Amino acid sequence: TQTTRPQRMLAAVQKNATRGDPRSVVKAIDQFCRQKEWAMNVGDEKGCILDSVVTEVNPATVLELGTYCGYSTVRIASLLPPDAKLITLEFNPHNAAIARQVIAWAGLGDKIQLVEGASGDWIPKMKEKFGIETFDLVFLDHWKDRYLPDTKLMEECGLLRKGSILLADNVISPGTPDYLEYIRNSPRYKSQYFRSHLEYTKAEDGLEKSVFLG
Ligand SMILES: CNc1ncnc2c1ncn2[C@@H]1O[C@H](/C=C/CNC(=O)c2cc(-c3ccc(F)cc3)cc(O)c2O)[C@H](F)[C@H]1O
Ligand SMILES: [Mg+2]
């Protein structure tokens, strides 16, 4: 029977990456996507920008919206300090099942909490379910028309503090026009665009980094 792309991506990790070595997992996925099949991971070029933001913020609490197969989850978690926690939300059960295995292969299971469910349902429960006060870093990479409503929801739920960083993928391709318009014009954020390319292609894309000013 036919396999899915996430299943083929996981097979590439299990074949080419070393257990317990997150960077080899990242490398195996990038190689798969360059040589075999394109997939919507943040990728190696934008991934370097992601790495530099994670390293600069050195977050104790991270929220990722949209796990997919866990590429950016592993990339972020591999750079976190010892007691840091990363919560990643994924509402497609098949994607979640693949991502759990990618995360396990990388040996990062104790740093990452993958929650199978929708951001809209889980953002309001972060405090009561996970004892999270606020997030130091949020990586937005789920449905592009949900970036803005979920950002407003995080504000309303008090999950952002003065200095919290939002990092949004795909603000050019596929694009998140309503989010960009809001975040760049709101007096509550200071934003910066990091120009790059759509993963594994020459098309333009970039990451928008925004600091919540409180
Ligand atoms: C809405 N709330 C959600 N809660 C939990 N998990 C969710 C939620 N919404 C989606 N998910 C989960 O998050 C993932 C969705 C990622 C969507 N990503 C993209 O579409 C995306 C698209 C391109 C792209 C660019 C050009 C082109 F020609 C074709 C594609 C590039 C990118 O880097 C992307 O990230 C996952 F699949 C979904 O189950
Ligand atoms: Mg993306």
Side-chain angles (χ1 to χ4, degrees):
T1 54
Q2 178 59 16
T3 59
T4 65
R5 180 167 303 175
Q7 281 170 328
R8 295 191 292 271
M9 199 183 303
L10 173 61
V13 166
Q14 293 169 334
K15 179 165 177 281
N16 305 315
T18 308
R19 271 184 188 282
D21 176 355
R23 303 317 286 183
S24 76
V25 169
V26 167
K27 195 165 174 296
I29 293 176
D30 284 330
Q31 245 168 357
F32 172 80
C33 291
R34 282 195 180 284
Q35 292 162 12
K36 299 279 188 326
E37 304 180 50
W38 186 93
M40 60 183 179
N41 315 116
V42 73
D44 40 1
E45 192 180 316
K46 286 185 288 177
C48 286
I49 300 166
L50 172 62
D51 291 353
S52 61
V53 171
V54 174
T55 308
E56 174 204 342
V57 177
N58 198 37
T61 54
V62 184
L63 175 63
E64 176 181 59
L65 302 178
T67 316
Y68 185 43
C69 296
Y71 173 92
S72 48
T73 324
V74 164
R75 196 158 183 143
I76 294 166
S78 72
L79 298 171
L80 293 181
D83 300 334
K85 278 298 286 174
L86 189 164
I87 295 178
T88 184
L89 302 181
E90 173 54 59
F91 65 7
N92 177 304
H94 178 67
N95 291 345
I98 297 294
R100 288 190 200 287
Q101 296 173 79
V102 169
I103 289 161
W105 197 270
L108 289 168
D110 59 344
K111 277 188 182 292
I112 296 164
Q113 173 126 28
L114 194 161
V115 177
E116 202 169 315
S119 52
D121 299 336
W122 280 93
I123 284 170
K125 295 179 189 161
M126 282 298 148
K127 294 184 192 253
E128 65 174 296
K129 294 280 180 188
F130 303 106
I132 297 275
E133 272 311 301
T134 56
F135 286 105
D136 300 325
L137 174 66
V138 182
F139 182 54
L140 299 94
D141 196 19
H142 58 333
W143 290 162
K144 307 313 161 193
D145 62 358
R146 296 293 311 175
Y147 284 24
L148 182 52
D150 284 346
T151 296
K152 290 181 172 173
L153 187 57
M154 287 188 285
E155 289 174 15
E156 284 151 25
C157 295
L159 287 170
L160 304 178
R161 51 127 176 115
K162 192 169 162 33
S164 290
I165 303 288
L166 302 187
L167 190 63
D169 190 25
N170 311 116
V171 295
I172 302 298
S173 172
T176 61
D178 59 343
Y179 173 79
L180 272 192
E181 205 270 330
Y182 173 79
I183 208 93
R184 288 176 172 173
N185 297 307
S186 165
R188 305 184 75 186
Y189 294 89
K190 176 90 186 72
S191 291
Q192 194 180 355
Y193 174 60
F194 291 82
R195 185 166 183 211
S196 183
H197 294 95
L198 175 64
E199 48 266 30
Y200 318 117
T201 79
K202 292 187 174 10
E204 181 181 350
D205 190 20
L207 301 173
E208 187 83 358
K209 177 189 171 195
S210 306
V211 186
F212 185 61
L213 303 173

